[in-house]
Amino acid sequence: MRSSRVRAACAAALFLGVLSFYPAYAQSQSHAGLQLLSGVGYHTNGRTPSVLIGLEYVATSREGSIFSGMDEKRIALHVSDVLSFDKTARTYTLGVEGAWHRRQGVFQLGAEGSLYLRRGAAGWARIAGFGARGVTGRVQGNLGLDYVENAFSTFPWFLKDLNGVAPRDGDDSFFRATVSVSALVLPAYNLIWSQEIRWRKPVSDRGGNLAMATGPEFWLGDGRLATQAGVLLKPDGVRPLVQVRYELLNGEGRRNFYLAAASASVEGDGPVLYGWWETENEGIGLAAAVRLEGTTEGGLNPAVYFSIQPKF
């Protein structure tokens, strides 16, 4: 009898403790501040490296509770200037970004969008994008849509600007879409099955490139290793496609690592290797990336860049 009273008292204390923390979780939080942007990058399309200098004004808000669900909103205003070391090329960028995320239990839903206006030697160019992500139980889905007008613009200094696809200098305007779905099919073995579709179509052409791949994914510690096989459909024929991807995404600590290799891509004819690393805290963000793309002549088209993002 005494032990049951003790357990009841402990349960009551725990319940009261949770209730005491509930107001703190239910309160809304907001933050706004400036983030400086700087970076150095090199691409074979340019004769010398380029430097990026800019800033973003970022405002975020979070409201809700662990019981009713958490809503997070973010909006950012972007301005930057990219200048080559030999001063032969320069690109100004103005942009706005917005994002919304909701979490409630095992359910997650998010959407984000961006619009950039960039001015270079060829005039003004518009870049617009939309993305959505949903998680329910063992199933996760992602959607990405982009429009890139005149890819002369600038380096993709951050992962959100690139998403694994690097436009080539002087490339025609194009539309791009990515759809991926993954599901945990064997929880005892951490086995995930995923499908991915990538589509890229130049505005001036009727045809486009379509890549479809599917295969298993495995949890390796905090990361996921995916091996996929499929086909690449191009106007000049069909090609086999094999790709391997390792992904380590830590949303809370913001230490992300991404490495992917494919026998072909929707952007070019040759194989491609792409790697990304970033870390972020309250004071500063660091990121580095490398992309190696094979050319039709058997060479490599490399791009390497490093960025620093101080926050105030």
Side-chain angles (χ1 to χ4, degrees), residues 61-91:
S61 66
R62 180 181 299 176
E63 58 185 9
S65 69
I66 58 176
F67 302 101
S68 62
M70 298 292 297
D71 286 309
E72 183 175 345
K73 301 175 184 177
R74 178 183 182 274
I75 187 169
L77 302 178
H78 175 105
V79 57
S80 65
D81 180 18
V82 175
L83 178 65
S84 63
F85 280 17
D86 60 3
K87 299 182 181 180
T88 59
R90 193 164 194 170
T91 302

Side-chain angles (χ1 to χ4, degrees), residues 242-289:
V242 178
Q243 57 188 24
V244 180
R245 180 181 67 250
Y246 179 76
E247 193 173 15
L248 178 61
L249 302 179
N250 186 348
E252 297 180 359
R254 289 309 304 273
R255 291 178 176 86
N256 301 331
F257 176 76
Y258 182 94
L259 181 64
S263 60
S265 68
V266 294
E267 298 82 41
D269 296 325
V272 62
L273 172 68
Y274 175 73
W276 174 270
W277 168 85
E278 71 172 343
T279 181
E280 182 178 350
N281 55 37
E282 296 181 357
I284 193 171
L286 301 174

Side-chain angles (χ1 to χ4, degrees), residues 170-194:
D171 202 354
D172 293 334
S173 304
F174 62 88
F175 297 99
R176 180 175 61 201
T178 302
V179 179
S180 63
V181 179
S182 61
L184 181 61
V185 293
L186 292 176
Y189 298 95
N190 292 326
L191 176 60
I192 303 169
W193 199 268
S194 62

